[in-house]
Amino acid sequence: MAEAQHATRSRETKAGGTSRRSALRAAVAGAGAVTALGAGASVAHADGPGRGAPTFVLVHGSGSNSFYWQPLLRELGLRGHRAIAVDLPGHGLGAHLPESYQCPQDLERLRTEPSPLSKVTLGDFAAHVTDVVRRARRNGPVVLVGESLGGATLNAVANRVPELVAHLVYASAFCPTGHPSVLRLMMTPEAATSASFKIPGVPTPPELGISRVNWRSGDPAFFAVVKEAIAADRPDAEVRALMNILEPDESAAVGASEDARGLPAAWGRVPRTFVRYTQDRIIPPPLQDLMIREADDVTPRNRFRVRSLSAPHAGPRDPGLLAHELELVARLCR
């Protein structure tokens, strides 16, 4: 492990109460559900770069939505870049919020209330983002950016239309190659310290087909666990705001059972960057390094370009840090 981490560091440029399987499913949901620090427009427009400049297409993680990207969208727009944040099927304004999730909450019913997210697949995510990529590609190169569970969608889109994607950016995102799914990655020794295992999910029956987290819980202990897991560097007020933006339901299949591996013949053709978050407690750095190493083993002639930011799973508090990294990627696409 030490040698593997050293190899990764040598290539990077630093920029700044259920069964174990049930717990892993809850961890997969928690691993993808991250901060959305502002709500507003989901598109940043600018005339500055002109036609032919890269368009950034941003993909959120589990239990999240396009609002997650608002600070980055604002920063990219102010810097003169085109960017759009997508809402994956069943998320954003199309999200399902169970009646039992509303106030006053019915916690017993919340365990069994069905959700349409149970029928949503990784293929649905990929089809939706592929359509966005096709439209954005008319304006020039497309840089596809994903965070957390959104990395699985990046893999699926690049497997379908590698010719339409100029660059893939995994912002501390899952990138299965050696392991078939996010769940399998979360079962590796490198994931053993993940704080996602500490975030209690709602104990729904497997046949419900969803992972559910009660982000509106009033339990102070729950709040403390969430803050420590995803945004330990943020004030309590910011953490409470993000918990009110997160969505309770996610399809269990997307992270747990569907094959999300990037295929060498398609995904493997696309240049890629991994932005490591060195303070990430959901996807610990050893797990990030494992995914980088396994991806490079699959496509040794197209290795990850690796960068590092001192940030938790929620990402850098200063969106300019990630915007700078994306600007460096944009230069590679011109």
Side-chain angles (χ1 to χ4, degrees), residues 25 28 117-118 120 206 208-211 250-258:
R25 287 181 183 273
V28 168
L117 268 294
S118 64
V120 175
L208 212 59
I210 58 169
S211 297
E250 187 58 82
S251 166
V254 171
S257 61
E258 293 195 70

Side-chain angles (χ1 to χ4, degrees), residues 39-50:
S42 60
V43 183
H45 292 290
D47 295 330

Side-chain angles (χ1 to χ4, degrees), residues 148-182:
S148 199
L149 189 62
T153 299
L154 263 61
N155 282 15
V157 172
N159 283 341
R160 292 184 176 208
V161 289
E163 71 281 1
L164 299 183
V165 182
H167 206 102
L168 296 166
V169 179
Y170 295 78
S172 196
F174 286 103
C175 181
T177 51
H179 293 77
S181 67
V182 172

Side-chain angles (χ1 to χ4, degrees), residues 187-201:
M187 295 172 68
T188 62
E190 289 80 0
T193 63
S194 173
S196 61
F197 297 118
K198 299 179 181 179
I199 299 177

